[in-house]
Amino acid sequence: MKKDFLIISNKKSRAANNVFNQFKKDFNTEILFTSDIGNYNTHNKEYKNIILCSGGYNQACFDLMENNFKDSFLIQHDTTDSEDVQKFLPNRIPNLIFQRELTNNTKNIFPNTPIEPVHFAINSIYDEAYQNKDIDVSMMMTMTNPRRAPFVEHALKIAKGKLSHLNWHIKITPQSVHTPNIYKAVCNRSKIGLHYFGNSYDSIRIWELASTQTAIIMPKLRLKSTMNDHMSFNHYQEINDNFLDLEEKIIHLLENNRWKSLAEKSFNDYNENHNPTKCYEKYCEVLKRHDVI
């Protein structure tokens, strides 16, 4: 008897795995991590559908997919920073594509394959113990992409200049070396959290800040996953891409505690529409629409 799903993923793909792990409660599902492919026995195994997550396409995966399960419905799930659709497998065309960085500029190299948006499914880091909100503005970023540098420079100039009277927490690192407990505490303690695009438009930070009842300031999202016809997310303070209105927007939110209302709306929106369970529900809704389940 065919199982419903074989999901091939990477143990490090925690956001995607937050969704994939929930398949086990509703479907006959097997999850195979790329590190275990070498020991995987295909004998007498059949699957209606296969989800191949980015991070899962190495040579062992190529061999497995090229030599087995050719009749399975193939779903390509791309969690990389690429806006354009990639070719995971040399000789197989996916039947359905989930693309995290799906924007109006995305190019799909498979013109006959439908493509759907999906965003990071991030667990809440809310902690009531840190909800005293004693930090006015926080900016914790890793310099994953040079386009962040001008924003960081501008924010530092504001923090040391006209808005130096505010309580700032600023931590800029060359790579992902934030101490988790400190990062969690700062997010929860902040009235306002700053964000700017790095390698991608979607970001773990967006959903973590939203989960902590913190008002987010960032440029306009380009993601189709957060547009009104998918999983809308509009409760943040938008700034121009050139961020020259950053100071003005910080002052605006802090005046009369306007940040509180925005943070509460963002917090409620995360819990009602964007946590991992809601991301899983949307994933299944899309699969139903394509007659996969």
Side-chain angles (χ1 to χ4, degrees):
M1 181 178 177
K2 287 186 178 181
K3 288 188 175 183
D4 295 317
F5 288 95
L6 169 64
I7 300 174
I8 302 176
S9 185
N10 189 301
K11 289 181 179 179
K12 295 181 180 179
S13 302
R14 63 184 179 97
N17 292 333
N18 281 339
V19 170
F20 297 152
N21 288 331
Q22 296 187 67
F23 271 80
K24 290 184 176 180
K25 70 178 183 182
D26 295 322
F27 305 99
N28 189 350
T29 298
E30 184 175 353
I31 296 178
L32 175 63
F33 292 119
T34 53
S35 56
D36 300 325
I37 287 180
N39 299 319
Y40 182 68
N41 188 345
T42 62
H43 182 65
N44 290 332
K45 292 187 177 180
E46 294 182 287
Y47 304 92
K48 298 175 184 175
N49 310 287
I50 293 178
I51 300 176
L52 179 58
C53 181
S54 54
Y57 49 102
N58 52 29
Q59 187 58 51
C61 183
F62 292 161
D63 294 341
L64 178 67
M65 296 302 298
E66 295 295 343
N67 298 321
N68 302 275
F69 319 128
K70 293 183 179 180
D71 295 328
S72 300
F73 188 91
L74 179 60
I75 300 164
Q76 177 171 305
H77 183 119
D78 192 335
T79 64
T80 70
D81 296 328
S82 175
E83 283 186 69
D84 294 335
V85 174
Q86 302 178 79
K87 189 175 185 180
F88 282 13
L89 298 172
N91 300 309
R92 288 192 66 173
I93 297 174
N95 301 102
L96 176 64
I97 298 169
F98 281 94
Q99 188 86 3
R100 180 171 66 83
E101 282 294 294
L102 184 62
T103 71
N104 288 329
N105 296 321
T106 295
K107 297 178 180 62
N108 186 359
I109 59 175
F110 304 111
N112 297 320
T113 300
I115 183 169
E116 295 283 352
V118 60
H119 76 59
F120 273 134
I122 301 301
N123 289 318
S124 172
I125 60 170
Y126 179 84
D127 193 328
E128 182 67 34
Y130 296 115
Q131 283 290 311
N132 55 329
K133 298 296 183 184
D134 60 319
I135 297 173
D136 293 314
V137 186
S138 66
M139 179 173 65
M140 292 179 288
M141 290 189 185
T142 54
M143 300 306 292
T144 56
N145 190 293
R147 68 177 171 183
R148 274 186 174 159
F151 174 79
V152 169
E153 182 180 352
H154 184 72
L156 287 171
K157 182 179 179 180
I158 292 173
K160 295 176 181 179
K162 293 182 179 179
L163 298 185
S164 61
H165 61 286
L166 299 179
N167 185 17
W168 290 76
H169 180 97
I170 298 175
K171 180 70 172 178
I172 309 299
T173 57
Q175 53 187 340
S176 298
V177 293
H178 290 303
T179 305
N181 289 339
I182 295 176
Y183 174 81
K184 176 182 177 180
V186 171
C187 286
N188 277 275
R189 290 169 54 198
S190 299
K191 297 173 184 175
I192 295 171
L194 304 185
H195 175 65
Y196 199 83
F197 306 135
N199 291 334
S200 59
Y201 294 120
D202 197 4
S203 173
I204 292 173
R205 183 183 299 104
I206 295 171
W207 311 110
E208 288 177 332
L209 287 172
S211 78
T212 58
Q213 210 158 347
T214 299
I216 305 167
I217 294 181
M218 63 181 177
K220 183 177 179 62
L221 287 171
R222 275 77 160 170
L223 302 165
K224 288 194 174 184
S225 63
T226 57
M227 292 183 180
N228 290 336
D229 60 350
H230 193 72
M231 298 175 73
S232 64
F233 185 70
N234 300 308
H235 297 129
Y236 61 93
Q237 177 63 66
E238 182 182 329
I239 55 171
N240 296 328
D241 283 357
N242 65 12
F243 46 76
L244 296 180
D245 56 342
L246 177 60
E247 177 184 337
E248 167 194 333
K249 295 301 171 61
I250 291 174
I251 293 172
H252 173 77
L253 285 182
L254 291 176
E255 282 182 342
N256 301 315
N257 288 325
R258 291 189 184 97
W259 67 270
K260 284 187 176 181
S261 175
L262 182 61
E264 183 177 358
K265 289 177 182 177
S266 179
F267 178 73
N268 291 337
D269 197 18
Y270 167 82
N271 288 300
E272 294 172 6
N273 301 304
H274 295 283
N275 63 33
T277 297
K278 296 302 179 181
C279 290
Y280 167 70
E281 291 173 357
K282 174 57 73 170
Y283 206 102
C284 289
E285 178 185 310
V286 173
L287 292 178
K288 287 179 181 178
R289 178 153 41 84
H290 289 278
D291 296 321
V292 177
I293 57 176

